[in-house]
Amino acid sequence: MTTQLDPITFEVLRNTFTAACNEMAVTVAKTAYSTPVNEGNDFATAVYSPHGKLVSQGEHDLPAFVGLTMLTVPEVMHAIGVENMAPGDIYMINDPYIASTHCNDIHFIKPVFDGDILVGFTSCTAHWSDVGGVVAGSLNVQARSHFEEGVRIPALTLYKRGVLNNDVVAILLHNMRQSWERLGDLNAQVAAVRAGASRIELLVKRYGRQAVLDAMEETQNYSERMARAAFASLPDGDYYAEDRIDQDVFTGEPKTIRLKLTIEGDHAFFDLTESDGPAQSGINCTIAATTSAVFIGLAAILPPMPINSGVMRAIEIKAKRGSLVWAQPPVGISGLAITSMDVTMGVTMLALGQAHPERAIGLPSAIVNSTFAGNDPRPAFDAPFINYLWAFGGMGAARDHDGGNNVASPYSASATNIPCELQERRYPILYHRYQLLADSGGPGCSRGGLGLDQTIEPYQEGTLSNITNRERFGPAGIFGGGEGWTARVVGNPETEQERDLGTFVVNVPVGPGEVLSFWSNGGGGYGLAFARPVEQVVEDVKDGYITEAAARSQYGVVVREIDRRRLQYEVDEAATADLRKQMHAAAGGC
């Protein structure tokens, strides 16, 4: 220990910082108005040191907000001025180019004082379902600039010494759809940061200011030691990975993110400078989101450790200002989470997986991110609505287990599937299907997780906007594993009126009589598929995870149904042995 704290007191304080975050999370989840927040858990909370360094995050908070919050509080400190901060203050910011992802993600930050001495900060970040702009829901993949995406909020003071600035609230709500819902989320986040601040104040009262400050610093030191130990255990060298976003909407051409990872002793360098230049559409990544993507990739591959500013001391991230991964105003950024941020996380996972093959995993699904908006005429509602829904997909496979089915990507791992029944109650839609897609997981010795078929029918006219990557390029498998299925958004599937809506769409009219299917990716596989044990392939067929045709063509297992109801199947062992021998030879005898 580098402080005067005894180990027991340190552990109590370190875990209490996390508990304070968890209490903030419960507060916002139980009091927020919007469905993505109170049901989908699209939020995060955190505790910071008085120097603006991330100390702790909640156990069930959105990972996508972790890295970017390391930049948020320092920006607020700079803009407001520490000397101008006072007890009772609460600040807010969403400026993507400085300290956020896209304009929908609103940060509330509260300084915590012991008397007149600053002892830290608490924060709560949440995705608001609309912040203005030309598209309901504000997720506009066709945006050429942030002026088409919603209100851009610099660091400002919402509460000064406990007094609300009503003028700020009025301006914001006048520029956002469903302002009553926005106000409900604002109040929920304010309540959350106050709850967290009260816990830090109690810790100071019980253990003393210096003990709390020492514990904040040592918590970061603890994570730094773990990160350095993890890097030191890996082979020194350079590792390279690249991946693509399907397209820049206005050119139709893919955009590539390239990463060179260099490990030297207990330090790692993430060089993204060879990534493509900026896109013309709203898929550019802010530097805060790029930082967060790297951290999430680290957390997915390295052994478990608390992710805070201490980890940052063991790594260096390089990017070109103005490139695809360091957006500069006014380029569009509202679609970054599903595109450039997700791909940056993926190349981090691929590169680290080369250095640490025992913990490597195939790439996960890209989330299907959709907004169905219109006016709900039902008597109990009679108001505009914004149904912000998502479809999760398959997780990538690992050496010793298959990928999870229908789970969130690592960057949104804490988010939850919003129940179909709840959406049908709150919005004018009817669910036809919510089921796994057979054969969608990338084939491998370990199989990628399955994607989702989420099929709905609106019974009110409205508009559909959607952002989903990996319609062209499925999630990559590793060490010989296959790609997961690509994503699709289809109107009236399997009928004469079927139409492919595409995964990058804005304000497409939809209405009664049209069925909409959102098909998410399966995850990438791990290892050669013909090495998968025959009995596991048969179990996958029984479970409906793969078809008999895929068992034969992808895994080299010839299986025949005897009685589906009783789950009785027969394997042609001779044909299977012959087919797998052919596959082995075709793979070069590896």
Side-chain angles (χ1 to χ4, degrees):
M1 297 283 287
T2 59
T3 73
Q4 299 303 311
L5 287 176
D6 64 89
I8 294 176
T9 303
F10 166 65
E11 283 297 323
V12 169
L13 288 170
R14 183 176 73 85
N15 285 281
T16 305
F17 296 147
T18 303
C21 295
N22 291 341
E23 184 172 347
M24 286 191 278
V26 170
T27 301
V28 72
K30 295 296 184 182
T31 58
Y33 281 19
S34 65
T35 303
V37 178
N38 62 29
E39 287 289 338
N41 290 343
D42 198 347
F43 62 80
T45 59
V47 169
Y48 302 81
S49 76
H51 306 294
K53 302 296 185 181
L54 178 64
V55 172
S56 186
Q57 57 179 311
E59 294 175 314
H60 308 290
D61 292 345
L62 202 76
F65 296 147
V66 174
L68 63 92
T69 58
M70 297 189 193
L71 306 181
T72 306
V73 173
E75 170 59 24
V76 170
M77 294 172 70
H78 171 74
I80 303 295
V82 175
E83 69 279 5
N84 299 318
M85 295 180 173
D89 286 3
I90 297 177
Y91 316 111
M92 68 182 301
I93 185 175
N94 81 337
D95 192 333
Y97 305 99
I98 296 175
S100 189
T101 42
H102 47 205
C103 295
N104 294 75
D105 296 328
I106 313 290
H107 312 267
F108 288 78
I109 294 152
K110 179 172 176 52
V112 185
F113 287 86
D114 176 26
D116 59 353
I117 304 297
L118 182 67
V119 295
F121 298 87
T122 59
S123 80
C124 178
T125 301
H127 179 108
W128 286 15
S129 294
D130 186 273
V131 289
V134 300
V135 175
S138 310
L139 297 178
N140 181 4
V141 74
Q142 294 180 2
R144 292 184 181 273
S145 75
H146 69 82
F147 299 109
E148 303 171 61
E149 297 176 324
V151 176
R152 180 181 170 196
I153 308 169
L156 54 81
T157 302
L158 182 67
Y159 281 84
K160 186 62 183 176
R161 295 186 180 276
V163 178
L164 174 64
N165 188 332
N166 285 292
D167 293 339
V168 168
V169 176
I171 291 171
L172 293 177
L173 298 185
H174 271 72
N175 286 278
M176 298 178 182
R177 300 168 181 86
Q178 291 186 290
S179 58
W180 64 271
E181 190 174 89
R182 307 291 80 74
L183 181 60
D185 288 353
L186 182 152
N187 288 330
Q189 291 179 258
V190 167
V193 295
R194 284 174 171 167
S198 69
R199 291 303 172 207
I200 303 303
E201 290 165 358
L202 286 173
L203 287 178
V204 171
K205 184 176 181 180
R206 178 172 182 178
Y207 292 95
R209 180 198 311 152
Q210 194 57 52
V212 171
L213 296 177
D214 286 349
M216 287 181 172
E217 181 63 27
E218 182 58 23
T219 297
Q220 298 171 67
N221 296 339
Y222 176 72
S223 292
E224 179 185 3
R225 291 193 296 271
M226 294 186 73
R228 291 190 179 279
F231 290 130
S233 69
L234 302 179
D236 284 357
D238 295 331
Y239 305 91
Y240 180 82
E242 67 175 55
D243 197 6
R244 292 168 291 184
I245 302 167
D246 284 342
Q247 62 173 311
D248 182 347
V249 174
F250 295 112
T251 67
E253 295 299 317
K255 301 292 285 187
T256 303
I257 293 176
R258 303 173 181 88
L259 170 66
K260 177 185 176 183
L261 165 64
T262 300
I263 296 178
E264 294 181 357
D266 63 357
H267 200 86
F269 301 86
F270 295 84
D271 186 349
L272 293 156
T273 55
E274 295 303 315
S275 297
D276 282 356
Q280 296 181 32
S281 54
I283 62 172
N284 297 283
C285 202
T286 64
I287 189 60
T290 294
T291 301
S292 193
V294 171
F295 270 79
I296 299 162
L298 283 173
I301 302 298
L302 295 183
M305 68 184 70
I307 300 296
N308 58 37
S309 291
V311 177
M312 193 70 178
R313 303 170 188 166
I315 72 172
E316 182 178 340
I317 301 172
K318 295 181 179 179
K320 285 184 180 178
R321 187 185 298 269
S323 69
L324 183 64
V325 294
W326 192 346
Q328 295 295 292
V331 301
I333 42 79
S334 61
L336 66 83
I338 307 96
T339 56
S340 49
M341 184 179 183
D342 178 73
V343 170
T344 301
M345 176 197 72
V347 295
T348 301
M349 293 167 62
L350 290 174
L352 271 173
Q354 296 169 31
H356 201 339
E358 295 81 6
R359 294 185 61 87
I361 58 176
L363 291 189
S365 164
I367 291 177
V368 177
N369 224 319
S370 300
T371 304
F372 172 50
N375 191 76
D376 190 344
R378 291 178 293 175
F381 295 85
D382 192 24
F385 70 90
I386 300 173
N387 182 15
Y388 174 45
L389 57 91
W390 49 62
F392 297 146
M395 182 60 68
R399 182 182 63 173
D400 56 357
H401 61 82
D402 297 335
N405 302 323
N406 186 28
V407 293
S409 169
Y411 78 80
S412 58
S414 62
T416 60
N417 292 296
I418 300 172
C420 305
E421 297 82 1
L422 181 67
Q423 293 189 57
E424 291 177 333
R425 173 69 181 89
R426 293 184 178 178
Y427 309 107
I429 62 172
L430 176 68
Y431 267 83
H432 283 219
R433 288 194 301 273
Y434 191 92
Q435 65 185 31
L436 299 177
L437 281 169
D439 296 340
S440 59
C445 186
S446 295
R447 174 184 43 74
L450 301 187
L452 179 69
D453 174 359
Q454 183 172 226
T455 298
I456 66 172
E457 180 181 354
Y459 52 86
Q460 180 60 35
E461 291 184 355
T463 58
L464 175 71
S465 298
N466 188 85
I467 306 174
T468 303
N469 194 34
R470 304 200 183 283
E471 182 184 24
R472 294 185 182 179
F473 315 110
I478 56 175
F479 305 130
E483 285 187 356
W485 271 14
T486 53
R488 290 185 69 195
V489 179
V490 182
N492 299 312
E494 301 171 357
T495 70
E496 293 182 357
Q497 292 77 40
E498 178 174 315
R499 60 170 177 158
D500 196 331
L501 296 173
T503 55
F504 288 169
V505 296
V506 173
N507 285 341
V508 174
V510 295
E514 179 161 31
V515 174
L516 305 171
S517 284
F518 304 89
W519 297 336
S520 61
N521 309 118
Y526 184 110
L528 297 168
F530 60 78
R532 186 171 178 82
V534 171
E535 60 272 15
Q536 291 185 24
V537 176
V538 174
E539 286 300 312
D540 283 345
V541 172
K542 291 180 180 179
D543 290 334
Y545 292 167
I546 64 174
T547 60
E548 293 173 46
R552 182 187 185 102
S553 63
Q554 297 177 351
Y555 293 91
V557 177
V558 181
V559 58
R560 182 171 62 88
E561 178 185 312
I562 302 299
D563 187 332
R564 173 63 184 168
R565 188 172 64 85
R566 292 182 171 84
L567 297 180
Q568 293 179 351
Y569 290 83
E570 179 182 69
V571 175
D572 187 329
E573 295 182 1
T576 295
D578 183 61
L579 185 54
R580 287 195 153 194
K581 184 178 179 180
Q582 295 177 37
M583 289 180 165
H584 187 270
C590 58

